[in-house]
C-alpha cells in the first residue's frame, strides 16, 4: 500500500511532579496527541471552547481560591449554565 509505514507524530508530554502523587507514590505522566486535521483535533476543540467561554461569551471564573471554581463544569449543558 502506498501510504503505509511510519509517520511523524508530535506529542506533548506533561510531567506532573509537583502535584499529588498517585496511590503508589509514583510521578504521574500525561500525553496528548494532536490530529493532523484541525477539524478532527480534540485539543483544538477544547481550546476553541475555552476561548469562546472566556473571551467571547465573557465568562469570568474566579480562580483565586480552588473552592470558587470547583463547581464550574467543563461542558455546560446550556448557555449560561456553568454547573453542568
Amino acid at each position: 500500500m502506498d501510504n503505509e509505514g511510519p509517520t511523524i507524530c508530535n506529542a506533548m508530554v506533561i510531567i506532573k511532579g509537583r502535584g499529588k502523587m498517585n496511590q503508589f507514590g509514583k510521578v504521574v505522566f500525561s500525553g496528548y496527541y494532536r490530529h493532523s486535521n484541525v477539524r478532527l483535533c480534540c485539543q483544538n476543540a477544547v481550546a476553541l471552547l475555552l476561548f469562546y467561554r472566556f473571551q467571547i461569551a465573557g465568562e469570568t471564573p474566579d480562580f483565586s481560591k480552588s473552592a470558587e471554581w470547583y463547581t464550574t463544569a467543563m461542558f455546560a449543558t446550556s448557555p449560561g449554565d456553568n454547573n453542568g
Side-chain angles (χ1 to χ4, degrees):
M1 302 194 130
D2 292 334
N3 292 325
E4 291 293 317
T7 59
I8 296 173
C9 178
N10 298 321
M12 178 176 69
V13 179
I14 298 173
I15 300 173
K16 299 177 181 178
R18 294 188 180 179
K20 297 177 185 175
M21 292 199 171
N22 67 12
Q23 62 185 354
F24 306 108
K26 302 288 182 180
V27 177
V28 179
F29 294 93
S30 296
Y32 301 92
Y33 291 98
R34 184 183 66 82
H35 197 284
S36 59
N37 183 342
V38 72
R39 293 180 182 195
L40 300 176
C41 181
C42 61
Q43 287 177 296
N44 185 49
V46 172
L48 288 174
L49 169 72
L50 295 176
F51 179 81
Y52 174 81
R53 284 178 68 178
F54 299 140
Q55 298 296 321
I56 297 172
E59 184 179 329
T60 53
D62 180 9
F63 291 114
S64 62
K65 295 184 218 167
S66 298
E68 297 294 326
W69 56 269
Y70 274 173
T71 59
T72 302
M74 178 71 169
F75 302 104
T77 55
S78 61
D81 180 17
N82 293 340
N83 299 321

